[in-house]
């Protein structure tokens, strides 16, 4: 049977007789007896903060000798454009962690989300004008997808629910409009021309 020994995710047994697991944005540990499947004493903090994902997964592992390897939280990252000749050009993005880059149908713009899940927003980058970008959402948004004609962007936001889909004009001429609403989280992946 299953034994609940603590609240967290991604538990890893360490030969020293401990379980290390992700909890509260960092790593906790507690003494663990693998024969009796019992813990002793309370949990204690091992790492104050570790890079994590919305699924509950965290960037750490423990070796057979007990060495702990972890990744600190990613506070920023860069976005690079590599052309057909292999030349790399860094694309300036708003401060924060950029992700989910999607090129417009004609390739002049890129839509991205920037930030961690709780504070993520959608931005439009003008690839012909390096460093030029426009924020398209201001109440949370992520996972942008272009309409086939390049006039609109659909994205997911938890602003009014559990993760609904919204549409916003790509040129910034209007406000986001909710187009799909239900209890489950929805992440757009593509928008067909049909």
């Amino acid at each position: 049977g299953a034994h609940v020994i603590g609240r967290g995710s991604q538990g890893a047994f360490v030969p020293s007789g401990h379980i290390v697991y992700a909890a509260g944005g960092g790593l906790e540990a507690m003494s663990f007896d693998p024969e009796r499947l019992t813990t002793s004493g309370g949990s204690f903090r091992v790492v104050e903060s570790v890079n994590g994902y919305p699924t509950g997964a965290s960037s750490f592992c423990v070796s057979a000798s007990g060495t702990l390897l972890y990744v600190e939280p990613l506070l920023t990252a860069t976005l690079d454009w590599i052309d057909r000749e292999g030349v790399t050009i860094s694309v300036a993005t708003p401060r924060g962690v950029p992700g989910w880059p999607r090129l417009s149908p004609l390739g002049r713009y890129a839509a991205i989300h920037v930030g961690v899940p709780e504070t993520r927003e959608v931005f439009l980058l003008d690839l012909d004008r390096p460093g030029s970008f426009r924020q398209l959402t201001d109440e949370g948004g992520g996972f942008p997808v272009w309409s086939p004609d390049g006039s609109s962007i659909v994205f997911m936001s938890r602003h009014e629910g559990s993760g609904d889909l919204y549409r916003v004009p790509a040129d910034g001429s209007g406000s986001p409009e909710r187009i799909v609403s239900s209890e489950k989280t929805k992440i757009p992946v593509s928008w067909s021309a049909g």
Side-chain angles (χ1 to χ4, degrees):
H3 296 265
V4 177
I5 59 172
R7 296 288 176 198
S9 63
Q10 207 172 324
F13 179 70
V14 185
S16 62
H18 294 85
I19 292 280
V20 176
Y21 59 96
L27 298 178
E28 301 270 331
M30 63 174 66
S31 295
F32 180 71
D33 183 333
E35 299 295 324
R36 295 191 177 98
L37 301 180
T38 57
T39 61
S40 58
S43 64
F44 55 94
R45 200 74 162 174
V46 179
V47 174
E48 204 53 49
S49 57
V50 64
N51 187 52
Y53 302 90
T55 58
S58 293
S59 301
F60 82 96
C61 62
V62 183
S63 75
S65 66
T67 300
L68 173 68
L69 179 67
Y70 70 96
V71 177
E72 292 183 339
L74 303 173
L75 300 177
T76 188
T78 59
L79 188 66
D80 289 340
W81 173 270
I82 302 174
D83 66 18
R84 289 187 179 103
E85 285 73 47
V87 177
T88 300
I89 301 165
S90 289
V91 178
T93 61
R95 185 171 169 75
V97 181
W100 200 262
R102 294 296 182 267
L103 286 173
S104 64
L106 296 179
R108 178 181 172 182
Y109 299 97
I112 61 169
H113 63 217
V114 176
V116 296
E118 299 78 28
T119 61
R120 196 175 275 155
E121 300 291 354
V122 175
F123 287 81
L124 185 73
L125 309 180
D126 186 338
L127 299 176
D128 285 349
R129 297 167 53 213
S132 175
F133 49 80
R134 177 191 306 128
Q135 186 169 337
L136 293 179
T137 64
D138 59 11
E139 294 179 319
F143 307 100
V145 170
W146 287 90
S147 64
D149 65 3
S151 67
S152 300
I153 291 172
V154 165
F155 62 94
M156 185 274 283
S157 175
R158 298 186 192 283
H159 167 60
E160 297 179 271
S162 62
D164 293 332
L165 297 184
Y166 293 74
R167 178 173 53 212
V168 66
D171 63 6
S173 63
S175 299
E177 165 197 11
R178 184 161 55 171
I179 58 171
V180 177
S181 175
S182 68
E183 291 181 13
K184 297 197 181 290
T185 296
K186 298 152 291 295
I187 295 178
V189 176
S190 65
W191 186 336
S192 72

